Amino acid sequence: MGTTQPDTVTELKYWHLKGVISEALESEFSVGEILPNERELAARFGVARATLRQALDQLELEGRLQRRRGVGTTVAPPRVGVPVGSPRQMWPGEDDDGWEAVDAVVAAPPAAVARMLGTDAAEPVHRVHRSRSRNGQPVAAELIYVPGVSAPGFSRGDAATGAVRARAVLHELYRLPLEGQDRTVELGSARAEDARELDRLPGAPVLVVTTRYVSGGRTAAVAVSTYRADTCRLTLDADTAVLAS
Amino acid sequence: MGTTQPDTVTELKYWHLKGVISEALESEFSVGEILPNERELAARFGVARATLRQALDQLELEGRLQRRRGVGTTVAPPRVGVPVGSPRQMWPGEDDDGWEAVDAVVAAPPAAVARMLGTDAAEPVHRVHRSRSRNGQPVAAELIYVPGVSAPGFSRGDAATGAVRARAVLHELYRLPLEGQDRTVELGSARAEDARELDRLPGAPVLVVTTRYVSGGRTAAVAVSTYRADTCRLTLDADTAVLAS
DNA sequence: GAGTGGTCTAGACCACGCA
DNA sequence: GCGTGGTCTAGACCACTCT
């Protein structure tokens, strides 16, 4: 037993490959440049295509690569920073945040949301849909759940549709005193609808930001924002505003 | 061209599978329960094992499953909420946050960190290593980069080692006025060392929180925290303290 | 139609945890 | 030693985008 050999632990092929390609990206390629196709890369490195893809998967997850079916694999630009922490407590859309209202419907919320709202899971609520772009690319989709009690002035049968209706529902919120809000961030995978909107495949990794708005001692609304994890870096600039002044 | 058929879009096998298993998890299994092994599940659903694994990969990414080599696949408990936003601006470890100091060494920081610090990429700095647990399980690893100028009272040759040395470096920071801090959250994959510490495989998805501490108009320190994305939900309770009072 | 990335298969072998 | 999940292979076919 004397020979406690260092034990090189046989580096995994895809792990090694990832490192090699990662270095090549920095030294031999520039942003936007297109890589050789997967079949050729696999042949060049002497591995099966599935193994090569395992390495590319990770690099794409880290935002280093961008793959588009029918086109090819390109070197991704650095992640875009997306401000997420409102410097001051505000209702969604009250001060012109980066979001664009799309539409609003009445629907039953997911169980997790109903739990936060304290409503019955089968009880329909307003669901406001907003989207967010950056540099012309969609980066996030959002669904805001607003119980009827939080929008007493809005009649469900209101004929308005689309963005007009969405803004009308949100405007009802502004009449309530916003007493607090809290947020969570977690990893998720894009539902089919999100994927379409974010120009990704279903199941693509996303950062899910859940915001709970508190008014009158209860949860007045819940916003679930879904950010593309490959292209986004969420920035939470807290009170740097204090410093900037 | 007349027949604009609804076009069912042939649901992908692994996507469909994920839905089926997802429902089964809610209705037929309880937390901690062990699933049939992958070979049997694949056979039961009539797909190749690789396809079955693609579905399980996603469920694990979403924190619904937990897989351990040599053991099996179990139903994961709900994600644990980990507070990340310090209610008040403080240096790392100044008020007893959830972190435990491990050790400190002198090393060259990654290029991205050096850029934030405004130091030369080759210039070595203090690197303080901390770790964080929750319910007995490691959930995060952290590296805090402290340039020499931010810890003038600490001699690099200090004989102290381990946690003692780590705390000594951090204590130097507390003498500086903390003027602000900002954070970013993004998706990453665990480096080999992180993976070991977090009890995961290399490349496992992690949430990377980067905190920049500002003092004297410059970046005094940078902390890079790596959270297990499968088991953690980051909570950013902003000023709910105001509400609670 | 040609070329790309995405899905799927049916096998083999490896690394690990446990009895 | 056995059973588990993790890696890897060498193919096939599909869906998409461009020309």
Side-chain angles (χ1 to χ4, degrees), chain A residues 14-15 18 58 61-62 79 89 181 183-187 189-190 202-203 229 233-236 239-240 243, chain B residues 15 18 58 61-62 79 89 179 181 183-187 189-190 202-203 229 233-236 239-240:
Chain A
Y14 79 92
W15 187 255
K18 178 191 163 190
Q58 290 222 0
L61 190 83
E62 295 175 22
R79 281 184 173 143
Q89 307 262 11
Q181 65 185 53
R183 283 201 171 85
T184 67
V185 180
E186 60 188 318
L187 180 58
S189 52
R233 194 181 71 245
L234 307 185
T235 68
L236 314 172
D239 335 47
T240 45
L243 180 67
Chain B
W15 188 255
K18 178 191 164 189
Q58 289 223 0
L61 190 83
E62 294 175 23
R79 281 183 174 142
Q89 305 264 11
E179 291 162 359
Q181 65 185 52
R183 284 202 171 82
T184 67
V185 180
E186 60 188 320
L187 181 58
S189 51
R233 194 181 72 244
L234 307 184
T235 67
L236 315 172
D239 336 47
T240 45

Side-chain angles (χ1 to χ4, degrees), chain A residues 134-169:
Chain A
R134 202 84 189 197
N135 306 335
Q137 299 293 340
V139 294
E142 183 178 68
L143 295 177
I144 309 174
Y145 298 91
V146 182
V149 273
S150 297
F154 187 88
S155 92
R156 296 198 172 188
D158 191 307
T161 59
V164 174
R165 182 184 177 99
R167 279 189 290 265
V169 173

Side-chain angles (χ1 to χ4, degrees), chain B residues 53-120:
Chain B
R53 278 181 60 80
Q54 206 171 346
L56 294 186
D57 283 346
Q58 289 223 0
L59 290 169
E60 188 181 28
L61 190 83
E62 294 175 23
R64 311 276 308 274
L65 291 179
Q66 195 164 348
R67 297 194 278 186
R68 272 171 305 176
R69 168 152 49 178
V71 180
T73 302
T74 54
V75 181
R79 281 183 174 142
V80 47
V82 185
V84 133
S86 46
R88 305 180 34 193
Q89 305 264 11
M90 286 217 174
W91 291 105
E94 196 171 13
D95 70 331
D96 184 19
D97 45 10
W99 294 92
E100 184 192 357
V102 175
D103 65 5
V105 298
V106 172
V113 171
R115 218 173 299 127
M116 279 190 281
L117 290 173
T119 65
D120 193 68

Side-chain angles (χ1 to χ4, degrees), chain B residues 8-20:
Chain B
T8 327
V9 172
T10 65
E11 193 173 34
L12 275 355
K13 273 195 184 176
Y14 79 92
W15 188 255
H16 176 245
L17 214 53
K18 178 191 164 189
V20 172

